[in-house]
Structures are given as C-alpha cells and as structure tokens.
Amino acid sequence: MSDRPVLLVIAHGSRDPRHAATVHALVRRVRALRPDVRVETGFLDFNVPSVQGVLESLAVQGVRDVVALPLLLTRAFHAKADIPAVLADAPPQLRIRQADVLGPSPLLLAALERRLHEAGLTPADKSSTGVVLASAGSTDPEAIAVIADIAREWRHTGWCAVRPAFASAGSPAGFPRTEDAVRALRALGCARVAVAPYVLAPGFLPDRIARGAAQADVLADVLGAAPEVARVVLERYEAARRPALAAVSA
C-alpha cells in the first residue's frame, strides 16, 4: 500500500448526468498525471458514491491517511460548512486533511483562456474582446470578492475589458447577471463579447449562464477536465500533505 495519502475528490453532485460525467473525466486526467496517487471520487448529493460511503470503504480497506479536496472554485458554504461536517463524521481511524478549494489560481485563468481559444478566439482578438467572467454565484461575501478580484486581474492580461457576472438567484441584489454584463461590454464599445463560464461542470446554473450569453459573440465551454484544472487539483493535494511530511521529518 502506498504511503501517500489517498486523494478524495469531493464534488457537489447534480441531477444532470453531465455533471458526474465531467467530474469523472477530470479525475481520470488527474490519475493519468499521477499514477502513483490513489484518487477516489465522492459526491455530497444526488450522485453515488457518497463522500461518507467512500470514507467508510477506505477505512475498511485499511487506509489511514486521506486528503479531502473540495472540487470547488471558491470558499463558500460548501467548503466552510458542508464538507467539514461530512468529514467530521468519518470513521475515527482515518486521518483526514481538507485541502484548499481550487481557486483562485493562475492555472485556472489559463484554463479559461484555453476554453475561449477553443471557442474560436485567437490571441489577436484579445485587445478588442470584452469577456464576461460568469460564475455560479454565492451569498458568501468572500466568494463574491474573489470573483471580482479575478476579473480585475484577468483584465490586466490584455482583454478589452472583463466583467464578473453571477448566475445564481441567491447572489446579492444588484450584482450583474450574464446578460447584464454582456450589455455593459457592448455599451463600453468592445468589438466582440465573449462569455467564459467560471464553473467546473455542466448543470442548472451553467445552463442559465448559456442562456444569458445569447447576445454574446462567443460562449466558451465549462472548465471541466482541462489539463490546467487537473494540475491545480494536484497542487492542492501536495500542499495539504506537506504539513504531515514536515511532522514526520521533524
């Protein structure tokens, strides 16, 4: 048995079958990058296996160390409350470290650009294109601030403009929807407008983003199993297991 902790990727889950299919595709890419690491997948809701079921199975198999990685882009309710609560009910023989969420990361910006290029934009289009950074949205002020910061940072890489937008009806009043941000970029004078979904997998909210992008020139795909996303997963895994390595060598 490997002395490396098992990497447990924790996804939200969805009734939409595309969600689980995308999560599994991403996990396959992670495994291909690091065949020396055992990678498992658990879902908080709607899909199987559940996080609790995977943890119980690992304990029965004699696993002792687990890094639990939230497959989330921001630290909102699921990362701060739901996942810690599930992990607190894990079998007591498991030593579990919760890794950070995936975002923000320069690699995720690279993945967003990859998706825009796949949708038809070229580097030459950058200075004349306004981009809507369309996230799922949240009621958590920290998560909303992170999205706004990412949009500001991304703007400095050469785009005509970058505006954040939020798909969830639960986001605070006054925050722009995708269609609002598209109109704002048109009014700003951008020659073309592209919508870049800052979401990991298809589902209800990404579909709402797509509907809001009806008047845009370009709609990119979700981040999904982009190689940059897989690399961020492994970065978070390594960062979470480092404190234990330091303790062993001390």
Side-chain angles (χ1 to χ4, degrees), residues 10 39 50 98 131 152 231 238:
I10 301 179
V39 186
S50 68
Q98 182 175 330
V131 179
R152 281 192 292 271
R231 287 168 58 195
E238 289 297 337

Side-chain angles (χ1 to χ4, degrees), residues 27-204:
V27 169
R28 285 195 296 272
R29 188 179 285 275
V30 172
R31 288 180 179 138
L33 288 173
R34 286 293 300 274
D36 58 318
V37 175
R38 178 176 175 181
V39 186
E40 300 292 342
T41 309
F43 295 90
L44 291 173
D45 207 354
F46 301 117
N47 302 104
V48 292
S50 68
V51 175
Q52 189 65 28
V54 174
L55 291 171
E56 291 173 358
S57 176
L58 291 173
V60 168
Q61 295 169 40
V63 171
R64 290 297 175 262
D65 290 300
V66 177
V67 169
L69 185 142
L71 201 61
L72 301 167
L73 294 173
T74 58
R75 282 192 79 251
F77 182 79
H78 294 304
K80 294 177 179 179
D82 281 355
I83 291 174
V86 172
L87 298 180
D89 287 335
Q93 61 267 47
L94 292 177
R95 293 184 292 267
I96 302 175
R97 294 184 291 283
Q98 182 175 330
D100 287 340
V101 297
L102 302 183
S105 166
L107 284 170
L108 294 179
L109 283 181
L112 287 167
E113 298 225 359
R114 171 189 292 275
R115 293 302 188 223
L116 286 169
H117 294 156
E118 290 170 350
L121 291 180
T122 70
D125 297 323
K126 201 166 186 176
S127 63
S128 59
T129 301
V131 179
V132 178
L133 179 68
S135 73
S138 174
T139 58
D140 188 296
E142 178 186 349
I144 291 171
V146 166
I147 298 300
D149 287 344
I150 292 170
R152 281 192 292 271
E153 178 184 346
W154 203 15
R155 163 68 181 85
H156 294 311
T157 65
W159 295 102
C160 173
V162 179
R163 295 288 176 88
F166 304 91
S168 172
S171 297
F175 282 81
R177 300 169 300 171
T178 303
E179 52 267 40
D180 299 327
V182 170
R183 284 193 292 268
L185 290 171
R186 292 271 187 228
L188 195 62
C190 297
R192 68 182 60 76
V193 176
V195 174
Y198 190 61
V199 292
L200 286 167
F204 176 75

